Structure formats: structure tokens, C-alpha cells
Amino acid sequence: MTAIKLDGLATAKAIKNELAERVIHLKQKGITPGLGTLLVGDDPGSHSYVAGKHRDCAEVGIHSIRIDLPQTASSADVRAAIRDLNSAKDVTGYIVQLPLPFGIDTNEMLELIDPDKDADGLHPVNLGRLVLGVSGELTSPLPCTPAGIVELLSRYGVPMKGAEVAIIGRGVTVGRPLGLLMTRKGIDSTVTLLHSASRNLEEAVKRADIVIGALGVAHFVQPEWIKPGAAVLDVGITRVEGEDGKAKLVGDVDPRVAEIAGWLSPNPGGVGPMTRAMLVKNVVDAASR
């Protein structure tokens, strides 16, 4: 048995094509969605990630502006940039790229973002709306990676209603909000959130119809843990040194899981592109509202 590939690249491309159509209709009404990015410092990974966001915007026809501050920027400089993005009429959603330089209070800066312009969906107000939103339509921005996971499962017809879901990792960007999203009425999964202090973690994973690895430990999830036919999504990523001495990125899921699982979202090429697509969707949704 070889798992069906949950192809995040192809699915994200389809979503961006759909968003491009929505952007055309919005522009016909005089509304232009706009993404803003605030990047502080010289982290190469952050620069690459932000550049990818602006390429996504160009593909979809979204206006984008980029604010880059030096590594030496002060907290006051970052606050001023956030105020500018909050008030910018041509920005319907924006992100503050993390990590911020040492000495700048990340939570303080994130809380300064206008919740309605929170393209990442991780502002405390929007996470609170997700907590309260057990049923009905959610009009607030959703956390991008959890939303991308649910969208990917949905588009491949993976059953979620009543499914046992094991989420490995309790981080704020994936594990915690994903559990909230998948237990909402209409999705109706039964979620077990696992972490470093969980007892019988392996047994909990073996029961699961859907397994999400989101802890950032290379090849942590073993094939013997997986129920035959389960859906497995590899989200966490780790930089390791290959046999040739060069660094490479690997996921949380052992590649041999493909021989057991019914569906497998690889890493890279699975959830990552979906995260970027959902961020663009949040910007378009905000413009629509």
C-alpha cells in the first residue's frame, strides 16, 4: 500500500487561482486587497519567507507593501511601523514577521496589530473568537496553518466528522488552534492534543484516523504507530546535516509511514504551501468584509 499524496503545492495553486477571480470581482467594485509585511533584522529564512508572500500577492493580483527595519531597530521603531500599517488604507491585512530581534517583546508587538488586519490569524482577539466560535460562521481571520490543514483534508475528501485526531505538538501556531478548529460544529472531529509530558503517546497515535506531526523533531512519528489507512500530515520541520555534510530540511514523519497510511501530506510540499495560500485568503477575506 502506498499513501495518496495530499499535494499542498497543487492545492495551494488551485486556491490562489480561485482567489485571483475574487480579486478581479473586488477590483470591479473599487476594492483592492492589500498585504503588508513588517520585517525586522537580517534573518535569511525570514527574508525568504517574506519574499514568497509578495510573490504570492503578485500571482493573485493583490497590492503589497513591505516595511523592512534594521537589526538595530528599537521597540519604538517597531511600534511606529505597526501604527502605520494599522492606519494604511491600502493594507487590508498584514504580518509582523517572526522572530523579532532579541530585546523586543514579541507578544507586546503582536497585540498592537489591528485584529481585523491580522493576516496570520494569531492575534489574541482572533484566537479568542476561535475559542468562542464553537458553531456558525467565523468571520475573523483563522490561523493560517490550521486552516490550511483543514482545507487540504477537505479537498481530498478525508473524513473528519467523528474522526479521532492525534495532534503531536501544542504550539500556538499549529497544535493549540488546530484542536479548536477541528472540534468546531461542522467539522466535528475528536481531538487528542499530545506533547512532551503525554503518557502513552504512541497508543494515542495508534487509535487516530488523522495524525498531525507538529513538534519539530526529525522523523519522530514512526510507521508502527500508524493505523493502516490513516491520514498523516507532516507539519514540523527540522534542519539536519545530510551524509554529504550539507544541511537539509526534514519533517516530523518517518518516510516509511507512506507504506501504512491511506493519505500522506509530505514535508516539504504539503502543509507549507497551504499556509501561504491561507494567509493570502485572509487578506482577500478582510477586503471582502
Side-chain angles (χ1 to χ4, degrees):
M1 178 180 180
T2 301
I4 297 168
K5 180 181 179 182
L6 299 175
D7 191 335
L9 284 169
T11 308
K13 183 178 180 180
I15 291 169
K16 287 192 283 188
N17 288 339
E18 295 163 9
L19 291 171
E21 290 293 321
R22 288 181 60 191
V23 169
I24 290 170
H25 292 304
L26 285 169
K27 287 181 176 178
Q28 289 171 347
K29 297 177 181 178
I31 302 167
T32 301
L35 170 73
T37 61
L38 173 57
L39 175 61
V40 186
D42 307 312
D43 180 74
S46 293
H47 275 271
S48 175
Y49 187 76
V50 166
K53 290 284 183 285
H54 289 274
R55 287 195 299 272
D56 291 337
C57 288
E59 287 178 32
V60 175
I62 291 177
H63 167 75
S64 66
I65 67 168
R66 177 170 177 165
I67 299 175
D68 287 6
L69 298 178
Q71 183 78 19
T72 54
S74 66
S75 295
D77 295 329
V78 178
R79 287 191 204 99
I82 291 173
R83 283 196 299 271
D84 288 344
L85 288 166
N86 281 342
S87 61
K89 296 191 185 309
D90 57 348
V91 173
T92 56
Y94 72 92
I95 63 167
V96 176
Q97 179 62 31
L98 302 179
L100 291 170
F102 179 78
I104 296 178
D105 187 327
T106 296
N107 287 338
E108 177 195 345
M109 298 306 156
L110 294 181
E111 288 179 19
L112 294 174
I113 296 171
D114 178 348
D116 292 333
K117 289 190 173 187
D118 170 28
D120 272 330
L122 295 173
H123 189 282
V125 167
N126 291 324
L127 289 175
R129 288 168 175 163
L130 178 57
V131 171
L132 294 172
V134 178
S135 61
E137 183 183 1
L138 273 174
T139 58
S140 53
L142 291 174
C144 298
T145 301
I149 289 169
V150 170
E151 188 72 17
L152 190 58
L153 290 167
S154 176
R155 293 197 179 217
Y156 274 87
V158 178
M160 290 182 278
K161 187 178 180 67
E164 292 257 2
V165 180
I167 302 172
I168 311 170
R170 54 183 166 183
V172 174
T173 57
V174 184
R176 295 170 79 84
L178 179 58
L180 292 167
L181 191 57
M182 295 196 75
T183 52
R184 293 188 76 242
K185 290 182 180 178
I187 299 175
D188 297 310
S189 300
T190 299
V191 173
T192 301
L193 185 60
L194 302 162
H195 47 79
S196 57
S198 296
R199 296 177 182 173
N200 302 320
L201 182 146
E202 181 180 335
E203 293 303 316
V205 174
K206 283 180 177 179
R207 293 194 306 269
D209 305 298
I210 300 172
V211 178
I212 293 103
L215 70 163
V217 177
H219 297 169
F220 180 82
V221 179
Q222 295 299 302
E224 58 268 24
W225 300 0
I226 302 301
K227 178 196 292 187
V232 181
L233 294 94
D234 193 353
V235 181
I237 199 156
T238 307
R239 188 181 298 273
V240 300
E241 186 176 302
E243 294 179 0
D244 58 1
K246 296 181 179 178
K248 64 176 183 177
L249 299 176
V250 300
D252 286 356
V253 176
D254 189 300
R256 295 173 297 159
V257 164
E259 300 166 12
I260 309 296
W263 295 270
L264 178 63
S265 172
N267 195 347
V271 173
M274 294 297 296
T275 299
R276 285 172 51 177
M278 291 297 105
L279 187 142
V280 177
K281 182 177 182 296
N282 278 343
V283 174
V284 176
D285 286 346
S288 299
R289 288 192 290 272

